[in-house]
Amino acid sequence: MLLLAGPTDTGKSTLALRLLEKAKEAYLLDLDPGQGALPGAFTLFHYREGTLTPLRRYLLGALSPRGMEAQAVVGALRLARLIPKGSPTVADTDGYLDPGFRLLQIEALVPAEVLVLGWEELYQALSWRKDLRARLAPPLQGVRRKTPAERRKNRLERLFAHFQGARPRPLPLGRVPAYLMVPPEPHRLYGLLDEEGFLLGYGRLLAWAGDEGLFLTPVGEEVARVVPTRLLFPIPALPG
């Protein structure tokens, strides 16, 4: 695994795609919850012949690992364990400049090489290591720093694309979990997970519909135009 690290707007994602093109077939571990494929989540992709196919997602539920470092490390590790042993892999990380967190992430993922773009402090912390190769490189030429408005727009477009065509989805839950026997909190962020705990979708709760389900929409006012997803639960109507 090659792990790319560095501040925002240094060209990590652009470089990751260039490396995948050279590999022809490889895996991409998208660990950028802010500007990655699906905001608020990590994604494992399989790359082959110019096509990226999402394999699994892990819901972090935030746009940065700040304050959620433990969850971020666990999520990255869960996805990394799904990569076949010996497969070429590029890990594209976020721009969170906390050396402690980044070193912990590296310890968990055990990459063979770390390429640090424009972050000398992290490189110095890794340069003495004998168990991995660390290299320092300048930011890619031609990379432009995005404004906060551009970042919000990028997140909106990705979320809108993810929820496009949302439709009713029946969930055969079997025995009803206790937390579903009371009305969930309106406007709280909820994640929809499969039986192995990986992310299928997420959003804010709009309404509780008795035994008919939950209505979800992407996070934040900036994506309020997205049509909600209706999730059907086979549970009895709530008392009252």
Side-chain angles (χ1 to χ4, degrees):
M1 177 188 293
L2 168 64
L3 186 141
L4 304 177
T8 56
D9 298 324
T10 52
K12 296 187 299 295
S13 298
T14 300
L15 180 57
L17 292 177
R18 291 179 183 175
L19 294 172
L20 290 174
E21 291 172 358
K22 291 184 176 181
K24 296 184 179 180
E25 183 173 3
Y27 289 84
L28 172 64
L29 189 55
D30 177 3
L31 301 178
D32 187 349
Q35 293 294 303
L38 180 61
F42 297 154
T43 307
L44 174 63
F45 291 94
H46 178 245
Y47 177 88
R48 184 175 183 180
E49 298 179 351
T51 301
L52 274 174
T53 303
L55 300 179
R56 285 285 190 178
R57 286 199 168 100
Y58 179 90
L59 175 64
L60 182 63
L63 300 178
S64 169
R66 185 188 299 273
M68 304 186 67
E69 288 84 354
Q71 295 94 319
V73 170
V74 170
L77 186 56
R78 288 195 65 181
L79 293 179
R81 286 173 174 169
L82 300 176
I83 302 171
K85 188 176 181 180
S87 300
T89 304
V90 178
D92 181 18
T93 64
D94 61 280
Y96 180 34
L97 298 182
D98 182 332
F101 165 70
R102 199 62 64 197
L103 290 172
L104 187 62
Q105 186 184 57
I106 291 170
E107 288 295 326
L109 296 177
V110 196
E113 183 173 353
V114 177
L115 179 59
V116 183
L117 300 177
W119 189 6
E120 189 169 351
E121 182 183 9
L122 179 64
Y123 171 72
Q124 294 297 335
L126 296 171
S127 59
W128 61 273
R129 299 275 294 264
K130 303 298 184 182
D131 57 332
L132 60 80
R133 182 184 181 189
R135 290 189 291 164
L136 178 65
L140 290 187
Q141 291 185 355
V143 175
R144 184 179 61 84
R145 188 168 184 81
K146 303 180 190 69
T147 65
E150 288 175 319
R151 293 182 178 280
R152 288 192 294 271
K153 182 175 181 294
N154 288 341
R155 288 195 292 268
L156 168 61
E157 291 174 348
R158 288 179 171 89
L159 283 169
F160 189 84
H162 178 72
F163 282 88
Q164 194 72 24
R167 62 188 186 279
R169 174 180 293 173
L171 299 178
L173 296 179
R175 191 173 66 177
V176 180
Y179 68 86
L180 286 179
M181 297 306 293
V182 295
E185 300 174 20
H187 307 301
R188 182 178 176 185
L189 177 66
Y190 284 85
L192 173 63
L193 309 178
D194 64 14
E195 60 184 5
E196 296 180 14
F198 287 94
L199 173 70
L200 296 175
Y202 72 101
R204 288 194 184 279
L205 175 63
L206 296 183
W208 174 258
D211 59 349
E212 293 188 355
L214 295 170
F215 292 81
L216 303 178
T217 191
V219 183
E221 295 178 358
E222 62 184 12
V223 291
R225 295 183 295 109
V226 180
V227 176
T229 303
R230 184 179 182 182
L231 305 175
L232 306 180
F233 291 86
I235 65 177
L238 299 172

